[in-house]
Amino acid sequence: MIGSRKLDHLKLCQEMDVEYRDKTTLLENVHLVHQALAGLSFDGIRTETRFMGRRLKAPLLIGALSGGVEEARDLNRDLAKAAQRLGIGLCLGSQRPMLEDPKAAGSCQVRRWAPDVPIVGNVGIQQAAKAGVGRLAGLVRSIGADGLAIHLNAAQELSQSEGDRSFPDGSAVLKALSRRLPGRVMVKETGCGISREAASRIKAAGVRIVDVAGAGGTSWPWVERLRSPRRGTKRRWLDEWGIPTAVSLFEVQGLGLQIVASGGVRNGLDAAKCLALGADLVAMALPVLRSHGRGGLDGVVGFLSGVIEELKTVMLLSGAGDLQALARTGPVITGNLKEWITSRRTRQRSRR
Ligand SMILES: Cc1cc2nc3c(=O)[nH]c(=O)nc-3n(C[C@H](O)[C@H](O)[C@H](O)COP(=O)(O)O)c2cc1C
């Protein structure tokens, strides 16, 4: 059942238009300022960083995609090889099948192809709460991962007829897990973004890494409706629900969390804007899957090396020789993004 759902997801995301249509990331309202006298050389641009105790050549993660289903074995292997070749991180998709059958671990055994880069396991908060910390730590250990991502996906569950309807806040399991795996637990959304309120609770539970996975990229309610035989042709409001990625980056700032930006990040310019807005790293899911569909391992390596080259180009033109300098550039914020930020800040001030 889970395996066939996962295969539907992979197929639909390869073949159909599954992205938000009306809502965007609002990264189009972020403008990096051109510096004509940057005094930098392309080869001197530094993008190294660290994640879950390991060194990365670029602040990039392959987003959670495929996980523990047998049919994803080749995809997982190629993603691991691409991550190793480029010196970037790999987030695996849900290991839920492994909680039900430990033999399902096979497709997630990718450490031999990516010995030097961070590999992050994945499970939903509902399953995490049921499984308990011992089994979750076992999930990480059994595949030689560096840490575990816990995903939040209420909008996706609500748009499935067989999905969950009750969403416990998960603080207890997050607290216990972050004590067991200190600095190696990441909480992520799956495309609806993380608010300041949610980020504060995540931080209070002892978690140190958050992936905003905001709106504007893959729409999971839409993917679920495409799976349903009664999907209709009109897109419903739930397909467009969520906090745009750029807004979510503002929401989670200043709490001392390591921030991953994802949800609709599609190229090196998007990545540079996210990093200038305070993200420490960026992740991409859908475009990586599609690059694999087009060209297998070479397709993924080609796509992601292009993203890194674009990122370096934007850094040079913005006068930023390294990631710290990029974070200090102070982009100009316009339009709807400015309105979101102003409205949220006014509300937060009035509640204090
Ligand atoms: C085919 C596919 C499968 C996914 N499976 C998972 C998953 O198992 N666990 C998870 O946390 N996120 C999963 N995601 C969500 C992504 O990690 C990401 O948060 C979301 O798609 C937004 O990023 P994007 O716009 O770059 O796709 C999946 C995404 C895709 C495209």
Side-chain angles (χ1 to χ4, degrees), residues 145-220:
D146 296 289
L148 188 66
I150 303 291
H151 70 253
L152 314 175
N153 67 340
Q156 180 186 6
E157 294 292 337
L158 290 170
S159 53
Q160 293 172 59
S161 50
E162 75 273 25
D164 291 330
R165 290 292 179 270
S166 159
F167 303 94
D169 92 341
S171 297
V173 70
L174 291 180
K175 257 186 204 150
L177 193 58
S178 45
R179 270 200 298 269
R180 182 75 169 254
L181 302 171
R184 298 196 289 137
V185 179
M186 172 166 86
V187 174
K188 75 182 284 285
E189 240 291 341
T190 47
C192 289
I194 303 274
S195 65
R196 186 158 199 86
E197 294 83 347
S200 304
R201 292 169 86 157
I202 290 165
K203 172 81 194 294
V207 174
R208 294 288 168 263
I209 314 171
V210 71
D211 176 348
V212 300
T218 309
S219 162
W220 280 94

Side-chain angles (χ1 to χ4, degrees), residues 6 64-65 93-94 122 151 188 190 213 217-218 220 263-264 266 285-286:
K6 197 73 199 168
L65 268 178
S94 176
N122 183 295
H151 70 253
K188 75 182 284 285
T190 47
T218 309
W220 280 94
R266 296 294 176 257
L286 186 70

